[in-house]
Amino acid sequence: MSDTQNSNGWFGDFSSALMHHAGNPIYGGFQLWDNAITRALQAMAPGSQLANWSAGQANAFNNAVDNRESSYQAATPTNTASLAGAALGEIAPWALGAGASKFIPGLLGPFANGITRAGDAAASAPALASSPMAQIMANEGVKGMLFGAPQPITDSSNYWSDKGNQMATWGAMGGLSAPLAGGPQFAPQIGDALTKWGQYLPVAQPLLGGFGL
């Protein structure tokens, strides 16, 4: 968003930002799927007609995601209305999806519930049992990383490297959200939690390397 554009009115800016950000996990999810299929085909049958066709489809969708973002940035100024719409748009798909999953077999609901279960599983790791803060940070960190997975990647020369960095950033934000919200009194627990996390770095490094990190 740019702060040099004319406003479209409070409701116009708010609704534009809301719809754009609410659509991000849909566009980003399909982008992730396209690029994952292409990577799998290139690994199994490098240079084949099918792998090349899939790469072309993935590149075309990557360009479409870029164009969508560029159009949004050009049309929507940065102001209170657009920031409010963007914040609500980021939350709404997951909040609505999680609630609807009990009644509607959609995509967002089961995905959101799966993220919750993954966070719970990370928090239950035996090595974290002695540090409640480490459990909280692991839970929220895994959730943040997985919520970042279906976010769009734009202006990218290396999709998987950028996706790995994006997921790591979302994971870090998620992991630090709870202790930062709790204030300075959590500093000792954070130090202990980071020590516990260090035990998992040798396991995590190959996985991050797979994303190009």
Side-chain angles (χ1 to χ4, degrees):
M1 292 179 286
S2 169
D3 55 8
T4 62
Q5 303 148 288
N6 294 324
S7 173
N8 303 305
W10 195 95
F11 182 76
D13 292 339
F14 174 83
S15 59
S16 174
L18 172 65
M19 296 304 294
H20 179 82
H21 284 266
N24 275 348
I26 298 174
Y27 280 87
F30 278 112
Q31 184 186 33
L32 176 63
W33 174 259
D34 271 359
N35 283 274
I37 291 296
T38 295
R39 184 160 184 166
L41 289 173
Q42 289 175 339
M44 294 185 294
S48 67
Q49 184 175 357
L50 180 59
N52 291 337
W53 174 84
S54 180
Q57 295 298 306
N59 288 334
F61 197 82
N62 289 341
N63 290 333
V65 171
D66 286 344
N67 291 335
R68 172 179 178 266
E69 183 66 24
S70 297
S71 297
Y72 168 70
Q73 295 291 342
T76 309
T78 301
N79 53 34
T80 303
S82 61
L83 291 175
L88 183 59
E90 290 292 336
I91 297 170
W94 307 110
L96 294 174
S101 65
K102 298 177 182 178
F103 310 103
I104 303 173
L107 294 176
L108 289 182
F111 185 71
N113 288 338
I115 288 176
T116 299
R117 288 193 291 271
D120 291 342
S124 65
L128 306 181
S130 62
S131 175
M133 181 55 66
Q135 293 176 329
I136 294 172
M137 293 174 69
N139 189 320
E140 299 303 324
V142 168
K143 288 179 184 176
M145 183 180 68
L146 294 178
F147 272 122
Q151 295 299 316
I153 293 292
T154 57
D155 296 326
S156 175
S157 60
N158 187 324
Y159 175 85
W160 288 109
S161 177
D162 289 344
K163 175 58 65 177
N165 288 325
Q166 183 189 57
M167 291 177 66
T169 300
W170 277 64
M173 290 190 299
L176 292 174
S177 61
L180 289 178
Q185 67 268 27
F186 282 124
Q189 292 97 315
I190 295 173
D192 180 58
L194 294 176
T195 300
K196 297 291 185 184
W197 275 16
Q199 300 178 37
Y200 288 94
L201 288 179
V203 178
Q205 189 60 45
L207 300 177
L208 296 175
F211 283 114
L213 293 180

